[in-house]
Amino acid sequence: MAEKGASRGASRRFWSLLRKRRGAPGRYKPDEIMHQDIVPLCAADIQEQLKKRFAYLSGGRGQDGSPVITFPDYPAFSEIPDKEFQNVMTYLTSIPSLQDAGIGFILVIDRRQDKWTSVKASVLRIAASFPANLQLVLVLRPTGFFQRTLSDIAFKFNRDDFKMKVPVMMLGSVPELHGYIDKSQLTEDLGGTLDYCHSKWLCHRTAIESFALMVKQTAQMLQTFGTELAETELPNDVQSTSLVLSVHTEKKAKAKDDLQLALKEGNSILESLREPLAESTSHSVNQDQLDNQATVQRLLAQLNETEAAFDEFWAKHQQKLEQCLQLRHFEQGFREVKTTLDSMSQKIAAFTDVGNSLAHVQHLLKDLTSFEEKSSVAVDRARALSLEGQQLIENKHYAVDSIHPKCEELQHLCDHFASEITRRRALLSKSLELHSLLEMSMKWCDEGIFLLASQPVDKCQSQDGAEAALQEIEKFLETGAENKIQELNKIYKEYECILNQDLLEHVQKVFQKQESTEEMFHRRQASLKKLAAKQTRPVQPVAPRPEALTKSPSPSPGSWRSSENSSSEGSVPRRGPYRRAKSEMSETRQGRSSSTGDEEENLAILRRHVMNELLDTERAYVEELLCVLEGYAAEMDNPLMAHLISTGLQNKKSILFGNMEEIYHFHNRIFLRELESCIDCPELVGRCFLERMEEFQIYEKYCQNKPRSESLWRQCSDCPFFQECQKKLDHKLSLDSYLLKPVQRITKYQLLLKEMLKYSKNCEGAEDLQEALSSILGILKAVNDSMHLIAITGYDGNLSDLGKLLMQGSFSVWTDHKKGHTKVKELARFKPMQRHLFLHEKAVLFCKKREENGEGYEKAPSYSYKQSLNMTAVGITENVKGDAKKFEIWYNAREEVYIIQAPTPEIKAAWVNEIRKVLTSQLQACREASQHRALEQSHSLPLPAQSSTSPTKGSTRNVKKLEDRKTDPLSLEGYVSSSLPKPPEKGKGWSKTSHSLEAPEEDGGWSSAEELINSSDAEEDGGVGSKKLAPGKYTVVMGDEKEGPDTLAMRSGDMVEVVEEGAEGLWYVRDLTSSKEGWVPASSLSTLLGKSSSAQCLSSSDSSPGSAVLSNSSSCSEGCPTPFSELQG
């Protein structure tokens, strides 16, 4: 509103200035054309009437300055309409100024060639219609004798008719006329010398009046435009202000053009009026001509003054708009810079991490420097904007009160940001100093442990050897003054500003490690001093076992951090010292004089080495992930790098990097810290893995996205964005090498756990390590399976509805169906189909494997879905005559039979066992459902008591427990066949004498479709103590972990097959899972399938819903009516 008021004030100043330039209102005459309120007649309006020339204003004047109007001899005077006559009289009397017109007009009526009657009529008409004051009427009467005499007589007798307010003089000749009006004021036809051209006079009058109208319209236009400018509200944004300034400038230019056009027209008219005088200096100019020139000159003067006043007003208005635009630019820049500075201040305020390692702190310092460099652009812009605001103030900008506070705020924000950067750098420098000290201490400890581990025990048994080893230790301890933490309290005081809880714990752990290392040295010193003080017999060294030399060495202490980087930077880890340590440890264990205490100490040293490798590689892994996320992923959102990103890469960050950020946060915030908490007890590290197994599932998501990431990388690998980021990070390898890090890391854990387990056999956490190793291998298998699962195409349903994926692999498949053409059946028997099978909890899928062209992940196969079998209607026959690698999967009571040939017998055994577990669990579910229905019916109907020794006494919990315990050690590339159970050997147990009619050669068929079994001999006997030997398969209901020479260690839920009966209630059995054999108490077994005279190949042909009697080939499809039709595709 203040700006609007200022603009209106400028408008008032403009018009007052315009009035000031024109002078007082009385300066110009009131008859000025421009200022007449009533629009007068114009020559252009009555041009045709004026051309008749029955009256004209010659410009002559009487002796007292009275204007002279001449009525020349005009025969048709009486025929002129009154309206035309009145218009001409009104116009002619309006031309002279009010001052001249006030004196009165002199009328000269020339009727020398007319008749008296016409004279009388003309005089009376003129006298009656003349609109202005009359001073004198001069009539030139007719010149003929008769008419002159008649006029004299008639004038005397009709004098009363000519009584007017002014006298009427009848003149007989022109000389008499000269007595009243000077000859110079009369035209040539009246004997005068006045130069008058009626057509030229009419042309000049038309031009002057047109020019006057133009001047008036121009003045009105400028006034309207000025009012518009004055009333315009100044916009609040840059775009609108620029638009207003542009529109106003355009309108101003148009107004100036109109003004210049009017000035040009006026000058042209004035030049035309002055033309006669320019042609002849002796030419006399009459008063009307002088008045015309004066009028044009006044109009031109008015235009010039108006133009000058408007230019002055426009200059102020333009300055106001330009200052407004400058202010809007300043305000917009202020908002942008303030937002950027606030964002940077928030980032630096949230940047509180002081690092958890020396490399981390160095990385943080590098990030801070990079952040400061990127922020310098915004800071420089803020300072430049502040200087720009100061310049506006010095130029007397109208909004000083608004600009000055913003300049001060910008300066304050810049200073605050600079101080925060300085403070942050000081904290990180302190942290770098502390971590350098801690690293030196840890390096000193590691070198000390390595020194102790590298001293051969056999050589230390001699006095010279002990003294030499003692000197080595003393010499090493002398280096501790430079590398050790001397006073813990001094560290606390000096680095109090950066000591958070994690860093404080890290300092304490390093100090504890330092103390424990010193204690180890002191113990070794004491032992060596005793050896050096007494003479001992020389020890005969024993050569190490060959297998000790072929074992894979572990990394040395100096290569922990570089081991993870070796694959990315192309360097080979330095493992020589560690190999030497391990070899010498092997020699030590073989030495005749090695003690149990030394062996335990050596194992502890090796565990520490493995733990150090795990920690160092974990830290390096976390740092590499952070480097990729900040150096590549974050830069994809940086506007300054947007021009380097290709079109195909835009909005593809989630595809390229997957869930790497989620993996980084898990390792950085959780897993790395938990690993560091085990640094003093490396053997307990297995517990860290077990507690975080669910979190490790995030790697499955990353690996599933890897093919898409690889494909995108291949399309955009030559993008300048990646080259620029790689240059900034100073990486030798491209991004794809770092995108492979998570896959490499998840496979690295199993190797480290195996190494740790090797040196922790008799330690407290050995079981946890074994379980962690199995779980990691399970995750690798799940990841590998999921990679194959996502490659399935053509399946209409949701694969997650099929339950957990248990196994997958490629097989040769023959089909043998009851239905179909005979030739097709025979042809199918001899031509196997290559199918990739996916075993789920609820179905088995048959797919066709299709190899793809390409490289890397693009070469990964895809699987075309062909069909699926519902597991509730599936049965298996374990052995097919003639091939140990074949087994059968049959469907709907052998209506469809699929002969499956595995690549190896081990893989076949694994699949058969897994399918058996699925069918067993489904059978158990059916039995429990039947028992539940029977229990519900027992409330209304009495039922006979059931045996307490049900063959399902192990319950689903045991089966589940069995499934959980078994984890196949599979890698991302496929199966490790050596870890799978071996097939049962031939010749042991009973021979199967009765077989199914459907498969006379097969051995052992299974289906999950059994109802409650009531034909078991064990159930009829009803007691464990009276249990007799019966062929079949049994479930362990009471585990026995004790191992004797021939005793088989079993756990509850395991399934076994009886081979023979022994004495004292022991049976010799074969474990169906591991294929191990041994003696177990018969009381710990429960019948899984009772003795039956029928074959062990199970079918659903004889069973019905609710049946209580089971043939060994019943099916669950009727007993458990769960719909699964959608699996048929």
Side-chain angles (χ1 to χ4, degrees), residues 26 50 60 62 154 162 194 233 252 375 380 388 420 425 431 453 562 743 799 819 891 958 962 971 1016 1089 1102:
L50 291 174
F162 295 99
L194 182 62
E233 292 188 8
K252 178 255 180 183
S375 304
D380 293 342
E388 181 182 336
E420 284 296 313
R425 179 173 281 104
S431 178
S562 64
V743 181
L799 291 173
K819 299 179 180 180
Y891 194 64
N958 294 334
L962 177 64
S971 68
S1016 172
L1089 295 176
D1102 299 330

Side-chain angles (χ1 to χ4, degrees), residues 990 1025-1030 1058-1069 1079-1080 1082:
W990 302 280
S1026 60
K1027 181 177 291 187
K1028 296 182 179 181
L1029 175 64
V1058 177
V1059 178
E1060 64 178 291
E1061 182 179 10
E1064 298 178 355
L1066 295 176
W1067 287 355
Y1068 194 84
V1069 299
W1079 295 96
V1080 297

Side-chain angles (χ1 to χ4, degrees), residues 337 341 344 374-384 414 417-418:
V337 168
L341 290 178
M344 293 190 307
K374 294 178 181 177
S375 304
S376 63
V377 177
V379 174
D380 293 342
R381 185 185 175 193
R383 297 191 185 279
C414 292
F417 179 76

Side-chain angles (χ1 to χ4, degrees), residues 809-827:
S810 296
F811 300 89
S812 297
V813 179
W814 290 264
T815 60
D816 187 6
H817 302 340
K818 290 183 179 180
K819 299 179 180 180
H821 198 275
T822 305
K823 292 184 178 180
V824 176
K825 292 173 60 179
E826 293 177 355
L827 183 63

Side-chain angles (χ1 to χ4, degrees), residues 49-222:
Q49 301 167 20
L50 291 174
K51 284 182 179 180
K52 294 180 180 180
R53 199 172 173 270
F54 60 84
Y56 62 85
L57 189 65
S58 62
R61 292 291 187 270
Q63 296 178 357
D64 55 357
S66 302
V68 177
I69 295 178
T70 304
F71 291 86
D73 188 16
Y74 190 78
F77 184 79
S78 60
E79 298 175 2
I80 296 173
D82 292 339
K83 182 65 177 176
E84 292 185 8
F85 181 78
Q86 187 67 35
N87 288 339
V88 172
M89 291 298 102
T90 302
Y91 177 73
L92 293 178
T93 55
S94 66
I95 293 176
S97 65
L98 293 178
Q99 181 180 358
D100 292 344
I103 300 175
F105 287 87
I106 297 176
L107 302 183
V108 177
I109 303 173
D110 185 8
R111 289 295 180 264
R112 287 176 294 177
Q113 303 299 326
D114 207 347
K115 298 178 181 180
W116 166 247
T117 55
S118 298
V119 172
K120 178 181 179 182
S122 299
V123 172
L124 292 176
R125 184 177 186 181
I126 293 171
S129 304
F130 196 76
N133 296 330
L134 287 174
Q135 185 183 26
L136 181 63
V137 178
L138 300 175
V139 181
L140 286 175
R141 58 187 179 181
T143 56
F145 175 78
F146 175 75
Q147 292 298 329
R148 183 175 54 189
T149 303
L150 181 62
S151 63
D152 289 339
I153 298 172
F155 183 75
K156 290 179 181 179
F157 286 100
N158 297 301
R159 189 178 293 271
D160 294 337
D161 295 336
F162 295 99
K163 286 184 178 180
M164 300 179 183
K165 297 179 180 180
V166 294
V168 178
M169 305 300 295
M170 289 291 181
L171 303 178
S173 63
V174 172
E176 292 182 19
L177 179 61
H178 295 166
Y180 293 92
I181 302 174
D182 190 81
K183 291 172 60 176
S184 62
Q185 302 300 320
L186 294 173
T187 58
E188 293 180 355
D189 56 346
L190 295 177
T193 60
L194 182 62
D195 184 19
Y196 174 76
C197 177
H198 187 70
S199 60
K200 186 179 292 188
W201 173 87
L202 183 59
C203 180
H204 286 167
R205 289 304 306 176
T206 304
I208 291 172
E209 290 171 358
S210 175
F211 175 61
L213 183 61
M214 181 184 293
V215 171
K216 182 177 182 180
Q217 291 174 347
T218 303
Q220 291 174 347
M221 180 269 296
L222 291 178

Side-chain angles (χ1 to χ4, degrees), residues 856-868:
Y857 281 96
E858 292 184 353
K859 197 176 181 180
S862 63
Y863 304 98
S864 298
Y865 169 76
K866 294 300 180 181
Q867 66 183 113
S868 61

